[in-house]
Amino acid sequence: MKLFLYRIILPLKVIKLKKGTFFLWLLFTIIAGLLGPIINIANNWGFNDLPISLSVFEDSRAGTFYTFSIVLIASAIGTLFINLLESSDLFKKMKLYFMALCIFPLFFGGIFYSSFTQKQKDVLNVSCLKQSRSQSANNTSTNNQITIDWKQCCFLAIALFISVYAFCLQYMNANPSEFEEIRDCYLDREQSGLKCMNQAAGADESLGDIVV
């Protein structure tokens, strides 16, 4: 179990090995992708003295985090798929398993977004948002009006992790010696060794039965 967890966590070592590349990727992929919500927070909190929760509430009402998360996961899967087409890739099995797992959050994210937008069409009430803005400006309580979609925020967190992990898988080929334990050839040798051990054990049991 410890070996399995170690192999799962090992790709994150790329962040340490590729600090500059990771910073640029984070800047242009994550920060730039969330530029709208970030500016909204800065504008409301920094200039209008409105709570950050109101900005998150506004973006969650629009489904911003759902759309960004779906695009982020799809982009991560697409990048890994392109890597799999390269014959020199040394970590195809790891990437293939990860892509298979990513299909599920991508699929459910689409379902949640579709359900969310349908509910918004049914219960849309613009006056509620205007009222919450005016009450915030007058320093009155807005807890009853502001309800952040935590499912949407959790899905965003999952998408961010998937995207970071996909980045790490993508750049493992730059330092293959650092990830020897999860290289395809290493795993093949390990599986062959286990198969030989199992066959040897089966042969010993058969020999024992004959002797008896």
Side-chain angles (χ1 to χ4, degrees):
M1 185 64 180
K2 290 183 179 180
L3 180 60
F4 175 76
L5 293 176
Y6 172 73
R7 288 176 175 175
I8 294 296
I9 298 173
L10 186 58
L12 298 177
K13 190 178 180 180
V14 169
I15 298 176
K16 181 180 179 181
L17 298 174
K18 295 285 186 179
K19 293 180 181 178
T21 305
F22 178 74
F23 173 76
L24 292 175
W25 172 85
L26 188 69
L27 183 64
F28 289 103
T29 302
I30 306 299
I31 304 301
L34 290 173
L35 193 59
I38 291 174
I39 292 177
N40 191 23
I41 291 175
N43 184 46
N44 286 336
W45 180 65
F47 299 100
N48 298 325
D49 294 326
L50 298 178
I52 295 177
S53 59
L54 178 61
S55 300
V56 178
F57 169 69
E58 290 177 342
D59 287 307
S60 65
R61 277 174 61 92
T64 301
F65 302 123
Y66 273 131
T67 54
F68 176 74
S69 300
I70 292 172
V71 171
L72 199 61
I73 296 176
S75 176
I77 296 176
T79 302
L80 291 180
F81 183 77
I82 294 174
N83 288 155
L84 288 176
L85 299 179
E86 299 178 3
S87 58
S88 59
D89 197 325
L90 303 174
F91 306 95
K92 289 185 177 181
K93 287 187 176 181
M94 188 87 175
K95 293 176 181 179
L96 185 60
Y97 295 150
F98 181 72
M99 288 172 56
L101 291 175
C102 288
I103 294 297
F104 294 98
L106 183 63
F107 177 73
F108 286 110
I111 294 177
F112 290 153
Y113 177 71
S114 178
S115 176
F116 172 81
T117 53
Q118 187 61 43
K119 289 181 180 179
Q120 288 298 98
K121 291 179 182 179
D122 296 337
V123 298
L124 183 61
N125 187 355
V126 179
S127 62
C128 177
L129 180 58
K130 292 181 178 179
Q131 182 181 2
S132 65
R133 276 182 172 273
S134 62
Q135 288 181 345
S136 297
N138 294 326
N139 296 322
T140 57
S141 176
T142 60
N143 291 332
N144 293 329
Q145 286 76 27
I146 299 178
T147 304
I148 299 174
D149 186 359
W150 291 110
K151 291 182 180 179
Q152 194 170 163
C153 294
C154 290
F155 188 70
L156 174 63
I158 294 173
L160 290 174
F161 173 78
I162 289 175
S163 184
V164 171
Y165 200 85
F167 168 86
C168 295
L169 291 177
Q170 179 183 354
Y171 282 93
M172 285 194 303
N173 284 304
N175 301 92
S177 60
E178 298 288 340
F179 309 97
E180 186 66 29
E181 295 87 343
I182 54 178
R183 286 179 62 171
D184 290 345
C185 58
Y186 181 90
L187 295 176
D188 289 338
R189 290 197 303 267
E190 187 179 62
Q191 291 177 357
S192 298
L194 291 175
K195 185 177 180 180
C196 291
M197 292 175 60
N198 291 332
Q199 289 177 350
D204 291 339
E205 291 179 358
S206 300
L207 182 61
D209 292 339
I210 294 174
V211 172
V212 173

